[in-house]
Each structure stands twice: as structure tokens, then as C-alpha cells.
């Protein structure tokens, strides 16, 4: 559909556009914006005001001409009658009968003149195609002061592959008070505007371009700022939506079940990328539904169809890396072209195709080897979902010497617990700083996928667990978390503990990871960590069947640090004025 954009009035009072000799000529460029899909046609000819027109604007069902006047005006529309001469057009949605025009059969034109009020206006065809040769709008002079920033909204999103983004905006106005003025520019990391000053001339007009640049120095969640201009009582503003991802994410190699559901990227659109880029580095969030840290894309449509798919072909492809052989299942459809379009994997055309673009196709599992996996099409297709399943059928659970036969374990696959092991989830912390077991899994039980557990072994060693695809999903609370990759975790308001021995190497339990203060943890692939709120925090936590290494309750209120956070036993933050048992820095005090 060809939509003609809305433009506001300029200082001139007369605006014209002609469609002669296969050329579009405007008295003020952009006042009539004809878009990119308009067409001129030689079957529309005629003579008007001494000018012979050899072509005219072909008004089809998809063609609309829009413009905006800021004062009362008179419009003249010259329609060709050399072809489709009895057809009519609509002005502001209402048909204009030919009886309202002046017909000139010798010159094959009908000329319409109409008075119009200020505001937005449109010209469309009525029921059938017509040709227009010329349009003129004569606008009465206005004394109303105007000030306009254009565009009204600017989006600035910086990413590692594109760390600096820049664009321009315009300020225009008339009937203003002469003088020098400044834009109101907010303070935002990496955001600059040049210049920041503008001038209203003695004629009361201003017309100036500004450049806005965003070069952030830190990661920034999506936010909004406003740039405004004010002259006297007249003001206008442009909304700036911005976000930044400065720290680049390295591509992760998958080893277990992984899903990429393209309706879960959190993105609704994105521009063409000329080099392979990781989805995590264009703002997509990594989740169980979309592994943004493991999939790359190169091509024109990394995000399409409002954020429900991406488009691939022979050159535009998706790619991920796997350390194990496995299978992929892909859901896709045709982009709407005619004929069968096939899915390709590693450059080879598969037997899966879709012809109309109206139906989704989900493949059977397609085998892939360890290494790089690319997904494309022999022609343009939309990829909606990809699921990778590892071919690994056994898992190794390692219980090391020196930790009282305890270990932690995490896998994205369900499995059957082998002989010699008992596994636990952790549902809470008791008043003695001991963990509270949630679910208990004995040898032969099925442990759900993506369930972090504490393992107790009869002896240190390596235990082999069989993958169990029928294991039920985990249900309940589990303070243990895990990952199949090494990654840093530091969510505000939480403390983190790993399975290790205390400082005296006397007790095995959950303690701060070496070299940290407990506010962060670097995960170990296939292992688990304990995550508790700061209100639950302590120096460490022991097991229900073990003695605790946590310090006893102190009765000295003088030991409290006024500047450090403290909590009551209900987990609520309190001040030093609170009376009773409080927790601070992992220790309990009686504050009298």
C-alpha cells in the first residue's frame, strides 16, 4: 500500500506538485510526500494553464496523497480525462462528483477548486483508477506561532557490533520571537546533541538540523528521555528511546537440550546485519525458551513478522555450535512466495518444504554432528522455532575426595539416579543455619531435567547416570540453581554459596566462593550453587545431619555495626532500635 506521509506547513503560502514528463516536481520538496511506491503513466495527458502534460499520477487503490495545512486554504486538483475520464476521486474520504469541477474537453482535463480548513487532508481514488496531473494548495497567512521538532520519536540502541549510533532531527517554526535559544537536553550516559543552540531570525522563523549521538560507556536497560525546545509560550519535544549493551557476550557451545523460540527473543524488529552476530549482542534475552547466547545470524531479517520469526535463505543463515552430536527439530514456513521452499541444514537441502506461507511445517528430528550447525533455505523462509537435543545417553556425576562424600550436580537432561547416591533439592534454611531438604531422590529414582541437587554418596568417585527422557518436571521450591556453562551471577538482594569446606577445612557445607564476599558467584558447569536472600544470609550453612560451623548468638549489642544491614528472624530489614534477635553479616545478635 502506498501511503503518503504527513508533513506540516512551511513559511510559503503556495505549494504545488506536478506529474509531467515522467517527473515529479514540487515547489517545496517534501510538502507532498509521495512515498516510494507511486507511479506515473503516459495514458494520462492534458493541458492546463498553458502546460501540456505527457504523464500523470496513476491513482490506484493503494495510492493516497496526504498533506497538512496550518491555516485556511484553497486547493486546485487537475484530473486527466484522457483515460478513465468518467471515474472520480475522494477528498478527505468523501467522493467529489465531476459536477463540482470545470470540464475542459478540448484539453482533456477537469479542474476542481475547493476551500479547505486547516488540518490533515487526503486525496484517494473513488472506486476505479484515475489520473491526476497537478495539485496546488494556496494557504492563507497564519500569525499563530509554531515550533516543531521532527521526528517526534527517536530510537537509539547501541550494541557491541554497533557501539555508536547517530541520527538527525529538525526544528522548524514561524511567527516566533526573535532571539537565541537552547535545547533542553537531558543528562544521559553517552548521549550528546550538536549543536544545542538555535536562532529565531528577525522574520520570526527558525529552521535548523541537529545531530544526536549515543555512545554509551555502560550497559543500560531500555529507558526514555525527552529533548525539548521552548520559545516563549510555545514548546515541542522529541522522545528518545535508548538502550545499551556495551559488554559483548561470547558465543556458548551447547551440549544439551536447547531451544530457540523466535517469538521469545523480546525483540520486535532489527536492522540488517552484514556479519554474523550473536542474538545476545543485539538485545535478545537468554532464557530457557531462547538461548540468545548460543545462536548467531547474518542477513537482512534477524527479527521479522513483529518478533515471531527470522528469515533465512541461501545467504542469510542461522548458526550454532554443539560439542555433541544430536538432532534438531525446526518449525518454519514459506515467506509467501509461490512454489515449494525447502529448509537447508549445513548447506544441504532437506526434504521439508512449504509452498504457500500459510502453514507451519515442523520437521522430524534431523541428525547433526558435533561442531558448527547452519540453518537456511533454498529460498526465503521464516524460521519460528529450533530445538536441539543431544545424543548423549549417559551423565557422569563426580564426587570428589575431601568433601565428606558430598557433591552438587545439574543437568538439562532428566536422568535415573545410580546406586550409591542420594540426591536432595533444598527448600529453605532453618533457624540453626542448616539447609532444609525439599525433594529426596534415591537410587533408581528419576531426577527431573534442569533440577540442581545436593548429592550424598556412599564413597567418593565417578557415578554414571542414564538419561531418562520420561522424568517428570520438577515442582516445588529449590534454592539450588545450576548451569551447564560457567557464568557470573550477581543479582541484587541475594547471597551466593557453593559446596566447599569452611576456613578451617573442618566442616563441609555451603560457604562463600573463594575470593568473593558472597554477593556473586561464578558457576561451574554441571555444578549447583545455593542462592538465598540477604535476610537469610549467614557465614555458611550445614546439612541436617551435620553439626553446624556457624557462630553462636552474641548478646553484645556493641558488636553491631550501625552502617551495615541487619534483619529480624522474619527476614525484614530493621534498624539498631529494633529489640530482639537480629542477623548481621551472617551472625545472630540479641539486641536489648
Amino acid at each position: 500500500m502506498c501511503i503518503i506521509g504527513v508533513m506540516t506547513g512551511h513559511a510559503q503560502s503556495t505549494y504545488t506538485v506536478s506529474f509531467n514528463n515522467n517527473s515529479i516536481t514540487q515547489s517545496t520538496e517534501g510538502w507532498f510526500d509521495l512515498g516510494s511506491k507511486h507511479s506515473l503513466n503516459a495514458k494520462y495527458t492534458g493541458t492546463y494553464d498553458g502546460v501540456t502534460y505527457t504523464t500523470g499520477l496513476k491513482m490506484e487503490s493503494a495510492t493516497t496523497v496526504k498533506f497538512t495545512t496550518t491555516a485556511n486554504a484553497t486547493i486546485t486538483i487537475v484530473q486527466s480525462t484522457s483515460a478513465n475520464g468518467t471515474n472520480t476521486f475522494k477528498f478527505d474520504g468523501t467522493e467529489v462528483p465531476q459536477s463540482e469541477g470545470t470540464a475542459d474537453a478540448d484539453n482533456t482535463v477537469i479542474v476542481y477548486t475547493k476551500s479547505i480548513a486547516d488540518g490533515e487532508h487526503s486525496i484517494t481514488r473513488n472506486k476505479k483508477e484515475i489520473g491526476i496531473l497537478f495539485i496546488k494548495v494556496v494557504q492563507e497567512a497564519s500569525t499563530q506561532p509554531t515550533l516543531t521538532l521532527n521526528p517526534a520519536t527517536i530510537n537509539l540502541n547501541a550494541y557491541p557490533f554497533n557501539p555508536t549510533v547517530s541520527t538527525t532531527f529538525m526544528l522548524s517554526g514561524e511567527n516566533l520571537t526573535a532571539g537565541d535559544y537552547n535545547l533542553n537536553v537531558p543528562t544521559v550516559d553517552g548521549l550528546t546533541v550538536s549543536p544545542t543552540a538555535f536562532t529565531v531570525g528577525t522574520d520570526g522563523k527558525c529552521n535548523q538540523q541537529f545531530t544526536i549521538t549515543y555512545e554509551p560507556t555502560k550497559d543500560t536497560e531500555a529507558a526514555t528521555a525527552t529533548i525539548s525546545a521552548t520559545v516563549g509560550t510555545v514548546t515541542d519535544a522529541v522522545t528518545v528511546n535508548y538502550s545499551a549493551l556495551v559488554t559483548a557476550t561470547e558465543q556458548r557451545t551447547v551440549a544439551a537440550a536447547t531451544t530457540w523460540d523466535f517469538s521469545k527473543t523480546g525483540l520486535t524488529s532489527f536492522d540488517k546485519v552484514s556479519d554474523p552476530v550473536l542474538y545476545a549482542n543485539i538485545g535478545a534475552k537468554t532464557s530457557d525458551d531462547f538461548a540468545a547466547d548460543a545462536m548467531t545470524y547474518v542477513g537482512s531479517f534477524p527479527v521479522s513478522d513483529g518478533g515471531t520469526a527470522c528469515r533465512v535463505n541461501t545467504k542469510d543463515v542461522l548458526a550454532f555450535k554443539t560439542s555433541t552430536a544430536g538432532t534438531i527439530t525446526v518449525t518454519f514456513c514459506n515467506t509467501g512466495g509461490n512454489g515449494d521452499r525447502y529448509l537447508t541444514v549445513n548447506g544441504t537441502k532437506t526434504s521439508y518444504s512449504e509452498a504457500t506461507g500459510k502453514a507451519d511445517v515442523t520437521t522430524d528430528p534431523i541428525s547433526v554432528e558435533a561442531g558448527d550447525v547452519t540453518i537456511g533455505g533454498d529460498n526465503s523462509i521464516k524460521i519460528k522455532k529450533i530445538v536441539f537435543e543431544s545424543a548423549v545417553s549417559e551423565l557422569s556425576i563426580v564426587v570428589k575426595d575431601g568433601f565428606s562424600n558430598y557433591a552438587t550436580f545439574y543437568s538439562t537432561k532428566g536422568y535415573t539416579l545410580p546406586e550409591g547416591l542420594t540426591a536432595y533439592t533444598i527448600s529453605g534454611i532453618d533457624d540453626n543455619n542448616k539447609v532444609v531438604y525439599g525433594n529426596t531422590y534415591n537410587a533408581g529414582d528419576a531426577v527431573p531435567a534442569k533440577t540442581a541437587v545436593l548429592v550424598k554418596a556412599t564413597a567418593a568417585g565417578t557415578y554414571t547416570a542414564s538419561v531418562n527422557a520420561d522424568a517428570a518436571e520438577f515442582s516445588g521450591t529449590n534454592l539450588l540453581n545450576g548451569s551447564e556453562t560457567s557464568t557470573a551471577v550477581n543479582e541484587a538482594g541475594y547471597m551466593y554459596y557453593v559446596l566447599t569446606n569452611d576456613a578451617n577445612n573442618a566442616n563441609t557445607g555451603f560457604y562463600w566462593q573463594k575470593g568473593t564476599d558472597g554477593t556473586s558467584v561464578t558457576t561451574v558447569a554441571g555444578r549447583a550453587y545455593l542462592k538465598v536472600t540477604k535476610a537469610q544470609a549467614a557465614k555458611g550453612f550445614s546439612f541436617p545431619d551435620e553439626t553446624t560451623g556457624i557462630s553462636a548468638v552474641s548478646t553484645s549489642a556493641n558488636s553491631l555495626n550501625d552502617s551495615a544491614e541487619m534483619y529480624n528472624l522474619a527476614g525484614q530489614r530493621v534498624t539498631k532500635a529494633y529489640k530482639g534477635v537480629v542477623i548481621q553479616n551472617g551472625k545472630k545478635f540479641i539486641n536489648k
Side-chain angles (χ1 to χ4, degrees):
M1 183 174 182
C2 181
I3 298 296
I4 309 305
V6 178
M7 302 293 292
T8 56
H10 295 256
Q12 297 162 289
S13 60
T14 300
Y15 310 92
T16 63
V17 57
S18 67
F19 308 99
N20 195 14
N21 296 325
N22 279 315
S23 178
I24 299 170
T25 304
Q26 297 200 50
S27 61
T28 301
E29 192 64 33
W31 205 78
F32 298 98
D33 185 348
L34 301 175
S36 60
K37 296 182 179 180
H38 62 274
S39 65
L40 305 183
N41 196 292
K43 68 183 177 182
Y44 296 113
T45 61
T47 301
Y48 171 72
D49 199 21
V51 177
T52 299
Y53 292 80
T54 60
T55 59
L57 176 64
K58 183 180 179 181
M59 297 291 290
E60 301 178 272
S61 60
T63 308
T64 301
V65 177
K66 289 185 178 180
F67 60 93
T68 297
T69 56
T70 57
N72 292 336
T74 300
I75 185 169
T76 299
I77 301 172
V78 180
Q79 177 187 350
S80 170
T81 57
S82 62
N84 300 319
T86 60
N87 296 339
T88 58
F89 64 91
K90 291 181 179 181
F91 186 82
D92 289 348
T94 301
E95 180 185 4
V96 179
Q98 291 192 345
S99 59
E100 292 188 6
T102 300
D104 183 347
D106 293 338
N107 290 311
T108 63
V109 296
I110 301 178
V111 181
Y112 303 83
T113 301
K114 182 179 181 67
S115 295
I116 58 176
D118 62 304
E120 297 181 2
H121 302 285
S122 65
I123 303 169
T124 59
R125 80 172 200 185
N126 186 22
K127 295 180 180 180
K128 296 182 179 180
E129 178 189 312
I130 67 166
I132 290 180
L133 305 179
F134 177 78
I135 304 171
K136 178 172 69 173
V137 175
V138 179
Q139 184 171 272
E140 297 176 5
S142 173
T143 59
Q144 183 70 27
T146 62
L147 190 64
T148 303
L149 283 166
N150 189 38
T153 302
I154 294 174
N155 297 315
L156 300 173
N157 305 110
Y159 301 99
F161 78 97
N162 187 25
T164 303
V165 287
S166 182
T167 189
T168 60
F169 62 95
M170 292 293 300
L171 175 65
S172 59
E174 57 186 19
N175 301 317
L176 300 168
T177 302
D180 294 326
Y181 300 89
N182 289 296
L183 293 176
N184 298 309
V185 180
T187 301
V188 173
D189 172 58
L191 185 69
T192 59
V193 175
S194 179
T196 57
F198 63 94
T199 298
V200 176
T202 56
D203 59 357
K205 301 173 185 177
C206 69
N207 189 37
Q208 186 164 322
Q209 178 175 283
F210 301 88
T211 299
I212 182 169
T213 302
Y214 185 43
E215 190 174 8
T217 62
K218 60 184 179 182
D219 292 350
T220 304
E221 293 290 336
T224 298
T226 299
I227 298 172
S228 63
T230 302
V231 177
T233 61
V234 185
T235 188
D236 197 25
V238 56
T239 299
V240 181
N241 301 314
Y242 63 95
S243 66
L245 182 63
V246 175
T247 306
T249 300
E250 295 295 327
Q251 185 175 8
R252 171 171 65 91
T253 298
V254 302
T258 308
T259 298
W260 294 276
D261 182 342
F262 286 87
S263 69
K264 307 294 185 181
T265 64
L267 305 174
T268 57
S269 64
F270 204 84
D271 295 334
K272 176 180 179 179
V273 288
S274 300
D275 297 306
V277 62
L278 197 64
Y279 273 90
N281 289 334
I282 62 172
K285 302 299 183 183
T286 295
S287 66
D288 289 343
D289 294 320
F290 190 83
D293 60 345
M295 181 68 77
T296 67
Y297 177 87
V298 59
S300 299
F301 297 98
V303 181
S304 71
D305 295 77
T308 62
C310 80
R311 298 193 182 196
V312 298
N313 50 46
T314 57
K315 295 182 179 179
D316 300 357
V317 296
L318 293 159
F320 70 95
K321 299 176 183 290
T322 172
S323 60
T324 67
T327 62
I328 58 171
T329 303
V330 183
T331 300
F332 72 99
C333 71
N334 190 325
T335 57
N338 295 324
D340 285 332
R341 297 187 176 187
Y342 288 84
L343 175 77
T344 64
V345 177
N346 291 330
T348 300
K349 186 167 73 173
T350 69
S351 60
Y352 300 98
S353 67
E354 204 280 316
T356 66
K358 296 181 179 179
D360 288 348
V361 172
T362 299
T363 70
D364 294 326
I366 301 170
S367 296
V368 294
E369 298 298 321
D372 294 333
V373 179
T374 61
I375 298 163
D378 74 332
N379 205 322
S380 182
I381 59 174
K382 303 175 188 177
I383 302 294
K384 296 188 174 181
K385 188 175 183 179
I386 302 168
V387 177
F388 170 77
E389 292 288 349
S390 171
V392 171
S393 60
E394 293 183 338
L395 305 172
S396 294
I397 303 175
V398 178
V399 180
K400 295 182 179 179
D401 283 324
F403 297 97
S404 306
N405 294 339
Y406 282 101
T408 61
F409 186 70
Y410 175 84
S411 175
T412 57
K413 290 181 176 293
Y415 55 93
T416 300
L417 198 68
E419 291 294 332
L421 298 182
T422 304
Y424 310 92
T425 60
I426 294 177
S427 61
I429 305 295
D430 69 14
D431 290 340
N432 296 313
N433 289 326
K434 292 177 180 285
V435 297
V436 176
Y437 291 153
N439 292 7
T440 298
Y441 303 97
N442 297 306
D445 288 345
V447 181
K450 300 179 181 179
T451 302
V453 292
L454 173 69
V455 174
K456 175 68 172 179
T458 54
T462 298
Y463 295 79
T464 301
S466 299
V467 170
N468 186 341
D470 297 324
E473 292 186 5
F474 175 77
S475 176
T477 300
N478 191 6
L479 301 185
L480 289 173
N481 295 264
S483 173
E484 288 207 328
T485 61
S486 177
T487 184
V489 181
N490 59 349
E491 185 178 353
Y494 290 91
M495 301 292 285
Y496 299 90
Y497 301 80
V498 297
L499 181 73
T500 187
N501 293 326
D502 63 13
N504 299 320
N505 207 33
N507 298 293
T508 299
F510 285 99
Y511 299 93
W512 294 348
Q513 192 171 46
K514 186 176 180 180
T516 76
D517 60 0
T519 58
S520 65
V521 66
T522 300
T523 65
V524 177
R527 298 288 185 179
Y529 60 89
L530 184 69
K531 175 185 176 182
V532 303
T533 64
K534 285 192 173 181
Q536 297 172 302
K539 184 172 62 177
F541 302 102
S542 59
F543 310 124
D545 53 349
E546 303 288 342
T547 58
T548 180
I550 310 303
S551 301
V553 176
S554 171
T555 59
S556 173
N558 293 330
S559 300
L560 288 171
N561 182 347
D562 289 348
S563 62
E565 296 176 356
M566 64 184 76
Y567 303 85
N568 62 21
L569 292 178
Q572 299 166 319
R573 187 173 178 180
V574 297
T575 67
K576 194 173 181 181
Y578 180 83
K579 306 301 181 184
V581 178
V582 297
I583 301 172
Q584 186 181 79
N585 295 327
K587 298 180 180 180
K588 293 179 180 178
F589 300 87
I590 297 178
N591 196 26
K592 298 180 179 180

